[in-house]
Amino acid sequence: MPGHRLIVFVGNCQLDGLARLYRRVAAGPEEDVVYLASYQEADADQRALVARADVLLRQVLEFAPVVGELETSAEVHLVPHIGAAFLWPCTGRAHPRNAPAPFLDESGPYPAELGDSFLDRLIATGVPAEQAAQTCLATDIASVRSAARMAEIMLERQRARDRLCGTGFADLISERFRDEQLFLSPNHPAPPLAAILANEVFRRIGVTAEVLAGLAAAPPDGLFPPTETPIHPSIIAQFGLTFVTRDSRYRYFNEGRFSCAEFAARYMRYEWNPLLAEAFHIYWSGDEDAALTAFIRAVPTAPRSAIARLVLSELLGPRGRMDEALEMARQAVELEPDNLECRRRFEWVSAKVHEAPAE
């Protein structure tokens, strides 16, 4: 792709994720990649940026975005918003106490992706957390919220967006949502679906076949928050979902995995772990000495977090505290036995601890 190109992505978190992925795997030295949030009004500088863009990737939503009309002479590609909110019919509005939280995701501990209007009503009436969780699980949410009809409507709207964009995500979702985890939450695609979306978009703007094949072979992780919104048991039954059961556990940020009932009780209590969020923030800043102190303090408060123990193991090892590093790795594997990263860490540290001393 000779010559300089300015590529602008305009949309919600899905286009933000695609922009970050493009920078990571495809952007050339003569390309500038910019993301503009469609849920914020564009200022004069941003409009000028769009006006001189070479390629504009603009998301098609069900509503007129706040960003407004954007004049450009760029090569324009329309990208459909993809979602499956019918699997989570009570989401769409944040927890009544939700607010930006220090060191956590800027959208807060319980944003709209994790909201629950059924539980919100119980919060308003003062129902105790455990009682509310049981009431929620005993309620046929699928019938109360007409989930089957919601699915029909949402898939038809997806088809309408597909027609505008020349894509086929409605059919893909319809055919596969029962047997595969396509979404982590209503609007956050799981890595395999994110890879399909990325391939569709990137192919249109000239990304090489080699890069596209790499995305297909190793679906990208980290494009969206790792949190999974729990799927209500009645929704599992309504649609005959096979990739989850009523006993499945769902990841909440880096705090570990929780059952639907546990998640509901935590939601009622507006429960999250500030100490753990701060520890990860320090770790990602690169200050490993301060991170070690923070994780030693935070890990006992996060009994479900395998990733916190994995990180603490990695921080302890280089400081000669191998027995403690091994114990943290062992606990990580115990919490998530299918996590290959945890297993590799445990095996490596175990080998180091038990290797014969040099003569």
Side-chain angles (χ1 to χ4, degrees):
M1 294 177 287
H4 183 274
R5 289 207 308 178
L6 171 60
I7 305 175
V8 180
F9 291 73
V10 180
N12 65 11
C13 60
Q14 293 182 12
L15 272 288
D16 181 21
L18 289 179
R20 286 185 283 108
L21 180 62
Y22 188 89
R23 292 190 197 100
R24 187 198 314 170
V25 304
E30 297 298 319
E31 289 183 321
D32 291 328
V33 180
V34 177
Y35 164 70
L36 298 182
S38 61
Y39 48 83
Q40 297 174 347
E41 186 174 356
D43 60 27
D45 289 341
Q46 291 170 329
R47 291 183 181 280
L49 193 70
V50 171
R52 62 182 180 84
D54 298 291
V55 178
L56 176 66
L57 296 120
R58 182 148 192 181
Q59 188 177 44
V60 174
L61 299 154
E62 290 183 17
F63 48 85
V66 176
V67 70
E69 292 300 319
L70 298 170
E71 295 184 6
T72 185
S73 58
E75 169 191 319
V76 178
H77 297 274
L78 299 180
V79 181
H81 170 265
I82 57 176
F86 57 86
L87 294 177
W88 299 277
C90 293
T91 57
R93 185 175 62 187
H95 190 289
R97 292 173 58 190
N98 191 64
F103 311 122
L104 198 65
D105 186 89
E106 64 180 10
S107 58
Y110 291 98
E113 287 289 289
L114 299 177
D116 192 306
S117 57
F118 184 90
L119 292 175
D120 290 345
R121 289 193 292 272
L122 299 182
I123 290 172
T125 56
V127 177
E130 299 298 334
Q131 180 184 335
Q134 294 307 313
T135 298
C136 181
L137 262 64
T139 301
D140 186 355
I141 295 294
S143 294
V144 170
R145 298 307 302 266
S146 303
R149 178 58 181 152
M150 184 182 292
E152 293 175 1
I153 293 170
M154 290 186 169
L155 286 170
E156 187 52 45
R157 290 175 178 173
Q158 185 71 60
R159 287 190 181 90
R161 296 195 294 276
D162 283 337
R163 285 193 289 271
L164 286 172
C165 302
T167 52
F169 287 99
D171 289 342
L172 183 154
I173 294 168
S174 180
E175 291 166 4
R176 295 166 58 174
F177 82 89
R178 292 175 177 81
D179 302 314
E180 301 177 36
Q181 186 185 27
L182 297 179
F183 292 87
L184 304 175
S185 62
N187 299 289
H188 291 164
L193 183 55
I196 294 172
L197 178 63
N199 265 274
E200 177 68 33
V201 173
F202 293 176
R203 175 182 58 81
R204 298 183 178 196
I205 58 174
V207 173
T208 65
E210 182 181 5
V211 170
L212 297 179
L215 289 175
D221 203 357
L223 299 187
F224 307 104
T227 298
E228 300 168 290
T229 306
I231 301 177
H232 193 276
S234 68
I235 298 294
I236 296 173
Q238 170 69 53
F239 293 111
L241 305 184
T242 63
F243 66 93
V244 286
T245 71
R246 65 177 298 115
D247 298 319
S248 291
R249 294 177 180 270
Y250 303 86
R251 182 173 175 178
Y252 178 79
F253 291 98
N254 290 310
E255 294 186 29
R257 297 182 176 277
F258 301 87
S259 70
C260 197
E262 292 167 335
F263 197 98
R266 285 166 57 89
Y267 183 92
M268 291 293 297
R269 295 191 292 265
Y270 192 61
E271 182 177 339
W272 63 286
N273 192 323
L275 282 178
L276 191 64
E278 182 178 10
F280 275 100
H281 176 80
I282 295 170
Y283 175 69
W284 291 325
S285 76
D287 187 344
E288 292 193 355
D289 289 334
L292 175 62
T293 300
F295 272 98
I296 288 173
R297 182 172 66 249
V299 162
T301 71
R304 299 286 183 87
S305 180
I307 189 171
R309 286 159 174 78
L310 176 66
V311 171
L312 181 52
S313 176
E314 292 174 348
L315 292 169
L316 288 164
R319 289 159 178 80
R321 300 168 65 173
M322 295 300 290
D323 288 339
E324 295 170 88
L326 178 61
E327 175 58 20
M328 286 297 102
R330 185 195 67 76
Q331 290 183 22
V333 171
E334 189 175 79
L335 285 167
E336 293 189 14
D338 296 329
N339 188 316
L340 291 179
E341 192 175 357
C342 292
R343 295 197 66 83
R344 291 190 187 107
R345 177 65 188 175
F346 174 74
E347 291 165 2
W348 186 87
V349 179
S350 181
K352 288 293 182 182
V353 168
H354 296 107
E355 67 185 6
E359 293 183 0

